[in-house]
Amino acid sequence: MSSPLSPQAPLRSSLPALVLIAAAAAVPIGTVLLLRVWKGVPIHLLTSDVTSIAGVPAYTGFLSQLGIFVWAGAAAICFFCAWLLPARPEAQEARRFLLVSGLLTAVLACDDLFLLHEEFFPSLGIPEKAVFAGYAAFVLGYLVRFRRLILGTDYILLGLAFAAFATSIGLDLVNPAGINPYLYEDSAKFAGIVSWSGYFFRTGAGALPG
């Protein structure tokens, strides 16, 4: 008969997770305090719900906010599947691909959420078109680096995502007359996010051992 675990055993086994959780919570809270002290930003502007602060209806930004959820889901899929892959040499390329894809997805989600290319980088003197060029250069290098792996996946979904993103960016830069920019530009972007998420769901699931 096995002896019962000591009361301290669960705490010891959970200690690494508890430290990670504490750090994950402390960084955003610390950022709030830093911005309050450094820039004098009121605390409630950094912690409260955006629609509540702005006094706008709860459905404001519905499609944009939904897109953030889909971005976050795609990033989580990439990181989780990379973590689940066995530590065998033949699985390392897939792990690297999923990790880089997760990081890229997280950056794009942050750009979408915090308007990095529209407001943050231009406020630092970096034009919006330069930001797009930087993203394009990184993505091109990413596609070249992992081209063999990508060609063994359902890359049509990834191609559709890039086509939708290109359409959205093109509409944003050109701003053609006679169309509703919010409907066409934002709809194309959302369709791209959904296709991107679907691609990594299938790719991550396919990389895992059966």
Side-chain angles (χ1 to χ4, degrees):
M1 182 177 179
S2 60
S3 58
L5 295 174
S6 66
Q8 292 79 18
L11 179 60
R12 285 197 299 269
S13 65
S14 301
L15 188 59
L18 292 172
V19 171
L20 184 60
I21 290 169
V27 170
I29 295 172
T31 302
V32 168
L33 296 175
L34 175 63
L35 289 173
R36 175 67 181 92
V37 173
W38 179 35
K39 293 292 187 179
V41 181
I43 293 291
H44 76 279
L45 291 182
L46 298 166
T47 61
S48 300
D49 181 80
V50 173
T51 56
S52 175
I53 295 173
V56 295
Y59 53 77
T60 302
F62 165 75
L63 197 63
S64 177
Q65 298 302 312
L66 190 59
I68 301 300
F69 280 103
V70 183
W71 276 130
I77 288 168
C78 291
F79 289 133
F80 190 60
C81 289
W83 180 66
L84 289 177
L85 281 172
R88 295 198 298 263
E90 62 270 20
Q92 295 313 299
E93 182 71 355
R95 173 172 286 171
R96 283 189 288 268
F97 174 65
L98 289 169
L99 285 174
V100 175
S101 300
L103 288 171
L104 175 60
T105 304
V107 168
L108 294 175
C110 288
D111 185 289
D112 202 4
L113 179 60
F114 298 114
L115 306 177
L116 298 184
H117 73 276
E118 292 177 302
E119 294 187 8
F120 177 74
F121 286 115
S123 73
L124 300 178
I126 304 173
E128 183 178 5
K129 292 182 180 180
V131 178
F132 281 139
Y135 285 161
F138 181 87
V139 168
L140 180 61
Y142 161 83
L143 293 174
V144 171
R145 169 64 180 80
F146 295 108
R147 63 189 182 281
R148 290 189 179 88
L149 189 151
I150 291 172
L151 289 174
T153 64
D154 294 328
Y155 59 85
I156 296 298
L157 294 176
L158 187 61
L160 288 174
F162 280 121
F165 293 148
T167 300
S168 178
I169 293 171
L171 291 172
D172 181 40
L173 295 176
V174 176
N175 195 21
I179 68 169
N180 186 322
Y182 299 106
L183 175 62
Y184 291 96
E185 178 187 334
D186 293 334
S187 295
K189 182 178 73 173
F190 184 75
I193 298 171
V194 173
S195 185
W196 180 276
S197 181
Y199 170 76
F200 284 108
F201 177 82
R202 292 181 62 84
T203 301
L208 297 177

